[in-house]
Amino acid sequence: MDFTNPLVYGVPCFLGLIALELTYSKTSDNKDLYKWKDLLSSVSLGVGSAVVGALVKTVGMILVFSVAYDLFNPMVDGVRTNIMGYESFGYAWYIWIICMLLDDYAYYWFHRQNHMVRFLWAAHIVHHSSDNFNLGTAVRNGWFTIFYKPLFYVWIVMIGFPPEMLVVCLGIEALWQFQLHTKYVKNLGFLETFMNTHTMHQVHHSRNIEYMDKNHGGFLNVFDRIFGTWKELDDSVDIEYGVTAPPNSYNIFVILTHEYKNIWADMKKSKNWGDKFMYAFGPPGWSHDGSTLTVKQIRKKMKEEEMAA
């Protein structure tokens, strides 16, 4: 069964909504919401990501999802059967819901590891590198995450969900993620108890120490709540968006590669191979001599200082 990726229809809507928010912000009292050079960088990165994504999609689908599906769900007497012995899943409405939930679970861990593993963070930092939070930032996507993202989702087709179903779910997830990048949508009441909302995503894009590495969910916040990474927006906190080590450039190639250069520079600080490994694959901020700290280390130090005061 063939389905169309929702992003085919979503992209024109993205551009229209960006134009609408941009126009409204410039004609209201929020003229600094968009900066022209920053928006140009974000849109350029988004276009590049779409082009790279289109090229990699064939590899991701054919060599990863489709091959994994066929390998773990072979045809047995004309019926798709998982190697565990049960019939592979069809297209019933409740199967779609289950697939969306599994997709969101996979997205949580994919997104969380992008913040926990520095080499992955080097690809994902592109999305966080702007100090603006608007719908333009939503399309500011790194080009290299596309190469490893399928690895976080392939298990879903391995257990019997059709690849095209998963691709549609990925598209729905991307649509929800896009519209979260606006400050014009306030508290959504009851939905805040289980959905990943706009206020929660503001927290995620903040570089305030109390907010960093929080709210990794896709369209749900339940996994953040379960695994201890959920944080509610505090209206009394003045949010600063962006990252602690920004690229300080509007050049998209600098934005795409600056953290990889930082990793290389840090790896040369120590001759110990274990330290070199940690600089590349440990959490961002880790250092062998304590010259820089991870988010957890900073919070621990702040707590110790508060208790000692």
Side-chain angles (χ1 to χ4, degrees), residues 45 143-144 249-259 261:
L45 287 163
W143 299 359
F144 306 126
S249 175
Y250 295 114
N251 184 307
I252 63 172
F253 297 107
V254 173
I255 297 171
L256 285 167
T257 61
H258 77 281
E259 183 61 10
K261 292 180 180 179

Side-chain angles (χ1 to χ4, degrees), residues 97-148:
I97 293 176
I98 294 172
C99 190
M100 276 302 310
L101 291 173
L102 296 180
D103 166 89
D104 202 60
Y105 179 74
Y107 179 85
Y108 171 81
W109 287 107
F110 160 71
H111 197 181
R112 182 171 176 177
Q113 293 310 306
N114 276 333
H115 284 256
M116 296 294 103
V117 179
R118 192 179 180 191
F119 191 75
L120 303 185
W121 171 241
H124 184 59
I125 194 176
V126 174
H127 181 62
H128 286 264
S129 60
S130 173
D131 58 4
N132 295 311
F133 183 79
N134 52 47
L135 292 176
T137 305
V139 298
R140 189 185 185 93
N141 294 317
W143 299 359
F144 306 126
T145 56
I146 299 169
F147 291 95
Y148 60 83

Side-chain angles (χ1 to χ4, degrees), residues 7 30 54 59 61 69 131 183 193 195 217 272:
L7 289 179
N30 198 7
V59 176
M61 280 295 296
Y69 183 68
D131 58 4
K183 292 187 282 189
T193 59
M195 298 293 291
N272 182 285

Side-chain angles (χ1 to χ4, degrees), residues 9-309:
Y9 308 106
V11 171
C13 295
F14 291 173
L15 297 176
L17 288 171
I18 290 172
L20 181 64
E21 186 183 53
L22 172 63
T23 303
Y24 180 76
S25 68
K26 293 299 182 184
T27 56
S28 66
D29 59 353
N30 198 7
K31 293 181 175 58
D32 294 330
L33 182 65
Y34 279 87
K35 297 176 183 176
W36 291 111
K37 289 183 178 180
D38 183 80
L39 176 61
L40 179 60
S41 296
S42 295
V43 173
S44 299
L45 287 163
V47 171
S49 178
V51 172
V52 173
L55 296 174
V56 176
K57 179 182 177 182
T58 301
V59 176
M61 280 295 296
I62 295 178
L63 295 185
V64 181
F65 290 167
S66 295
V67 170
Y69 183 68
D70 290 339
L71 183 63
F72 285 84
N73 300 272
M75 296 292 291
V76 178
D77 297 329
V79 178
R80 283 282 182 186
T81 305
N82 190 269
I83 59 173
M84 298 298 291
Y86 56 84
E87 184 176 337
S88 303
F89 305 113
Y91 299 93
W93 64 269
Y94 57 89
I95 299 297
W96 279 96
I97 293 176
I98 294 172
C99 190
M100 276 302 310
L101 291 173
L102 296 180
D103 166 89
D104 202 60
Y105 179 74
Y107 179 85
Y108 171 81
W109 287 107
F110 160 71
H111 197 181
R112 182 171 176 177
Q113 293 310 306
N114 276 333
H115 284 256
M116 296 294 103
V117 179
R118 192 179 180 191
F119 191 75
L120 303 185
W121 171 241
H124 184 59
I125 194 176
V126 174
H127 181 62
H128 286 264
S129 60
S130 173
D131 58 4
N132 295 311
F133 183 79
N134 52 47
L135 292 176
T137 305
V139 298
R140 189 185 185 93
N141 294 317
W143 299 359
F144 306 126
T145 56
I146 299 169
F147 291 95
Y148 60 83
K149 184 175 182 178
L151 301 179
F152 284 84
Y153 292 83
V154 67
W155 62 274
I156 297 176
V157 297
M158 289 168 63
I159 63 175
F161 290 87
E164 57 270 24
M165 177 182 286
L166 176 58
V167 170
V168 172
C169 291
L170 284 164
I172 295 172
E173 164 205 294
L175 292 175
W176 182 260
Q177 281 288 307
F178 168 81
Q179 57 86 41
L180 290 178
H181 295 77
T182 181
K183 292 187 282 189
Y184 287 117
V185 178
K186 306 302 180 182
N187 191 290
L188 296 179
F190 172 71
L191 293 179
E192 301 274 339
T193 59
F194 63 94
M195 298 293 291
N196 183 29
T197 63
H198 308 79
T199 58
M200 294 175 197
H201 208 60
Q202 288 179 52
V203 167
H204 180 71
H205 271 263
S206 167
R207 58 187 174 95
N208 300 58
I209 188 62
E210 63 267 45
Y211 284 164
M212 291 175 70
D213 295 341
K214 298 293 184 181
N215 300 349
H216 302 294
F219 60 89
L220 298 175
N221 67 43
V222 294
F223 300 118
D224 281 298
R225 291 179 182 272
I226 291 172
F227 297 111
T229 53
W230 181 77
K231 183 73 173 179
E232 188 176 15
L233 178 68
D234 184 347
D235 291 329
S236 66
V237 174
D238 186 16
I239 292 183
E240 296 180 5
Y241 296 105
V243 293
T244 56
N248 295 320
S249 175
Y250 295 114
N251 184 307
I252 63 172
F253 297 107
V254 173
I255 297 171
L256 285 167
T257 61
H258 77 281
E259 183 61 10
Y260 294 107
K261 292 180 180 179
N262 292 341
I263 290 175
W264 180 246
D266 286 342
M267 289 177 69
K268 292 189 290 185
K269 292 178 180 179
S270 174
K271 295 182 179 180
N272 182 285
W273 283 99
D275 292 341
K276 293 179 183 296
F277 178 87
M278 286 298 294
Y279 274 120
F281 299 103
W286 183 91
S287 63
H288 74 287
D289 56 3
S291 57
T292 58
L293 302 175
T294 68
V295 172
K296 287 185 178 181
Q297 289 172 333
I298 294 173
R299 288 183 181 141
K300 181 180 179 181
K301 183 178 179 180
M302 291 174 63
K303 188 175 181 179
E304 290 174 348
E305 291 175 350
E306 289 177 1
M307 293 178 65

